[in-house]
Amino acid sequence: MLVRTRFAPSPTGFMHLGGLRTALYEYLFAKKNHGKFILRIEDTDQERYVEGATEVIYDTLRGCGIVWDEGPDIGGDYGPYIQSERKAEYLPYAKQLIRSGHAYYCFCTKEELDARRQAAEARGETFKYDKHCLHLSPEEIQAKLDAGTPYVIRMNAPTEGVSTYHDLVFGDMSFPNSDTMDDMVLIKQDGMPTYNFANVIDDHLMNITHVIRGMEYLSSTPRYNFLYEAFGWEIPQYIHLPTVMRDATHKLSKRDGDAYYSDFIDKGYLKEALINYLALVGWNPGDDREFFTMDELIEVFDVSRLNKSPGIFDIDKLTWFNAEYIRRMSPEKYLETVTPWFDQALQGRGIDYRHLAELMQARTEVFGRVPDMVRFLAELPEYDISLFENKKQKSSLETSAEALPFCRTILSEVPDWQETALHDALIPAIAEAGKKNATVLWPLRIALSGQLSTPGGAFEIAYLLGRQESLRRIDLAIEKLHAAQ
Ligand code: GLU
């Protein structure tokens, strides 16, 4: 059997992390089994159409290396299957179900349905379609069709009994039909199939062997199985996935900015780190390995190691993964990736990015934090002179007020403003003057940066700032300290 899986998102305009993880597992499972992975956009709900939403799905998957294997030709590339473009496929199947008694025309108007729904609610019942139109005679139906009366096609669902099926993660499932079944609409008034119907027809037509999706579909699955059985089609294997949660009681949320793939990319997380970590949210490789390339994931992926309990998406853990991925980047790749983030704070300042990148790589956990970490190079922050006081560095306002003019004199005479030249001029001079390195270098770094923690030390910062700006900042600090005396 050739394994075939599909990712079947409804285009909402965003890629939820739970959805991305589903796509990842579908991809891994197909590849692991030398099968095929396809992408199908479930967009038959035209009222919920979102401009550009398909591109978001398309670009996210491609960007993450979750590449589908087939689809309509779009200029030498595979496009996804798009259900709205396949509209004509579904009606004949619905008519087939009408002939076999598994479906029927329904001519009830919205007003009639609303009135019956209200009446049911008034009785404290939840409204389910009451099979009203199932009892129309063939003549009545034909007359309405001939008169062009708008209709939907509904599934003729069983009201009694129990539906069972097996899920590869959740085991044997069983649902009373009275709870889970309902005469759901298969074809809408506009001729479009509903999501529920198109999903089943397409899974069959596309020979999907394993349906992998979120556990919110566990209780709808009996309805889909009813359709498979009505057609006499083979039911696929089911793999339902537990929800991805922020913690035991909270879902990832749009409001908290932690639900969507784009939230994390915008904050400067790496796709590779995100995919690596997402794979482990709800699945484990059976040993303590944590770092995997996509090929390695394919190699080790095993459905029997999927968890039944919710996957906790821990942002701190993701950040840790991200920092590790950054540390493992080549310096060239880091420079290329960090450049737009440097630009946010430093564009046009003539800073040596290559040198700054060397200082920053080991300190970068998330690229989005980089602009704030380097902004002091573009603009000296407002700072308080108490920063000059540091017991451990044997620095006080007095020692600093003395050290900075000393630094200025030595540094201003260095002909070639390079890190080593600055170092080689100042360090011996400190010794000669009988001073301590810490007592001089501490105020120098504070004067140059205006902040406590910096990437790199005094000489590196002085080099990055250049002669003029460095001396200007030292002068400012001297003035500040002077004014405080
Ligand atoms: N279109 C459905 C969704 O976005 C797909 C469910 C399924 O995979 O069957 O959730």
Side-chain angles (χ1 to χ4, degrees):
M1 175 184 67
L2 180 68
V3 165
R4 288 173 59 89
T5 63
R6 86 307 194 263
F7 182 45
S10 303
T12 58
F14 296 97
M15 177 69 86
H16 194 277
L17 287 184
L20 183 57
R21 190 195 61 169
T22 301
L24 175 64
Y25 288 170
E26 284 157 349
Y27 174 77
L28 295 176
F29 184 72
K31 296 290 139 182
K32 167 85 189 186
N33 292 289
H34 311 287
K36 299 267 190 230
F37 167 68
I38 68 169
L39 173 62
R40 185 174 75 223
I41 307 293
E42 303 208 318
D43 63 343
T44 58
D45 201 347
Q46 297 280 301
E47 280 158 32
R48 292 173 50 199
Y49 178 78
V50 180
E51 186 75 35
T54 308
E55 286 70 28
V56 169
I57 297 166
Y58 195 102
D59 293 345
T60 306
L61 295 184
R62 291 247 167 198
C64 291
I66 303 174
V67 183
W68 51 102
D69 291 309
E70 60 177 54
D73 188 333
I74 50 160
D77 197 0
Y78 295 133
Y81 292 104
I82 299 188
Q83 277 182 336
S84 60
E85 291 173 2
R86 296 165 50 76
K87 179 177 173 186
E89 297 277 340
Y90 308 101
L91 187 60
Y93 287 102
K95 291 198 168 156
Q96 183 183 332
L97 291 181
I98 294 179
R99 289 194 295 276
S100 64
H102 294 98
Y104 59 93
Y105 290 106
C106 170
F107 302 94
C108 293
T109 63
K110 185 174 175 307
E111 291 69 33
E112 288 165 345
L113 291 173
D114 284 347
R116 267 135 69 196
R117 178 171 299 112
Q118 276 164 18
E121 280 163 11
R123 293 192 302 271
E125 296 165 11
T126 26
F127 178 70
K128 272 188 178 182
Y129 185 73
D130 49 10
K131 293 190 187 281
H132 178 271
C133 289
L134 179 64
H135 308 297
L136 296 176
S137 69
E139 295 72 29
E140 282 171 305
I141 295 170
Q142 198 52 53
K144 284 182 190 287
L145 291 177
D146 291 345
T149 316
Y151 65 82
V152 300
I153 298 179
R154 288 184 182 276
M155 179 167 101
N156 183 13
T159 49
E160 288 168 2
V162 173
S163 293
T164 57
Y165 68 93
H166 185 74
D167 181 87
L168 291 177
V169 172
F170 286 87
D172 288 330
M173 306 303 295
S174 158
F175 294 91
N177 289 336
S178 55
D179 288 352
T180 179
M181 289 290 187
D182 134 37
D183 285 9
M184 64 182 185
V185 173
L186 305 179
I187 301 286
K188 295 182 276 190
Q189 270 193 10
D190 62 4
M192 272 288 188
T194 53
Y195 147 70
N196 288 305
F197 191 51
N199 182 272
V200 169
I201 301 297
D202 279 347
D203 279 345
H204 171 72
L205 293 180
M206 297 176 186
N207 295 314
I208 299 306
T209 57
H210 294 77
V211 166
I212 305 179
R213 64 180 166 215
M215 65 177 286
E216 62 274 22
Y217 291 96
L218 276 171
S219 64
S220 333
T221 297
R223 303 185 201 176
Y224 307 143
N225 289 344
F226 174 81
L227 291 172
Y228 282 105
E229 280 164 1
F231 284 114
W233 294 341
E234 196 179 333
I235 295 176
Q237 305 262 3
Y238 289 111
I239 299 174
H240 284 94
L241 302 170
T243 312
V244 178
M245 306 278 287
R246 170 145 54 97
D247 54 43
T249 48
H250 296 93
K251 289 194 173 177
L252 297 175
S253 85
K254 184 176 170 174
R255 213 190 42 215
D256 295 327
D258 61 7
Y260 300 132
Y261 172 75
S262 54
D263 291 331
F264 290 90
I265 297 305
D266 293 349
K267 285 180 194 141
Y269 286 88
L270 295 168
K271 301 187 231 293
E272 298 79 2
L274 191 57
I275 289 291
N276 189 152
Y277 178 55
L278 259 188
L280 300 172
V281 176
W283 170 84
N284 71 79
D287 53 35
D288 51 16
R289 272 182 302 166
E290 291 191 294
F291 289 90
F292 296 94
T293 61
M294 192 64 99
D295 284 344
E296 289 164 347
L297 283 173
I298 292 171
E299 181 77 33
V300 296
F301 189 73
D302 177 357
V303 166
S304 70
R305 297 200 164 277
L306 285 171
N307 291 340
K308 222 176 177 172
S309 48
I312 305 296
F313 185 85
D314 176 349
I315 296 185
D316 293 337
K317 183 81 193 197
L318 170 67
T319 304
W320 178 81
F321 265 98
N322 204 61
E324 282 298 318
Y325 267 81
I326 291 174
R327 235 154 270 153
R328 294 167 189 213
M329 278 178 150
S330 69
E332 289 305 321
K333 181 83 192 147
Y334 177 81
L335 177 62
E336 184 192 318
T337 315
V338 82
T339 292
W341 301 96
F342 282 169
D343 279 344
Q344 282 189 23
L346 306 175
Q347 198 156 32
R349 301 288 175 149
I351 305 279
D352 178 347
Y353 278 9
R354 185 170 292 274
H355 197 85
L356 181 57
E358 280 165 21
L359 299 180
M360 287 291 294
Q361 183 162 1
R363 293 162 198 261
T364 310
E365 291 188 305
V366 178
F367 283 100
R369 298 181 194 164
V370 165
D372 281 345
M373 292 169 78
V374 301
R375 188 161 284 116
F376 74 95
L377 291 169
E379 261 163 79
L380 180 68
E382 282 292 325
Y383 68 97
D384 194 88
I385 52 164
S386 61
L387 294 193
F388 288 111
E389 297 173 308
N390 185 317
K391 279 218 179 71
K392 233 175 93 199
Q393 307 296 338
K394 306 204 175 11
S395 283
S396 64
L397 298 184
E398 292 73 36
T399 61
S400 300
E402 196 192 309
L404 287 174
F406 169 78
C407 288
R408 195 197 193 286
T409 311
I410 310 282
L411 295 180
S412 64
E413 280 161 16
V414 177
D416 181 19
W417 197 268
Q418 294 295 330
E419 199 182 309
T420 22
L422 295 169
H423 173 275
D424 294 351
L426 191 58
I427 297 295
I430 294 173
E432 251 169 63
K435 297 181 188 294
K436 292 224 167 346
N437 279 351
T439 316
V440 175
L441 297 181
W442 176 264
L444 179 58
R445 197 176 56 85
I446 297 296
L448 292 172
S449 68
Q451 60 192 35
L452 273 183
S453 87
T454 53
F459 297 115
E460 283 147 334
I461 296 168
Y463 161 71
L464 288 167
L465 289 173
R467 173 197 296 270
Q468 210 188 342
E469 178 64 8
S470 298
L471 296 179
R472 187 185 76 85
R473 291 186 181 194
I474 295 170
D475 288 342
L476 273 173
I478 294 172
E479 269 171 45
K480 250 178 171 337
L481 285 163
H482 189 73
Q485 268 171 10

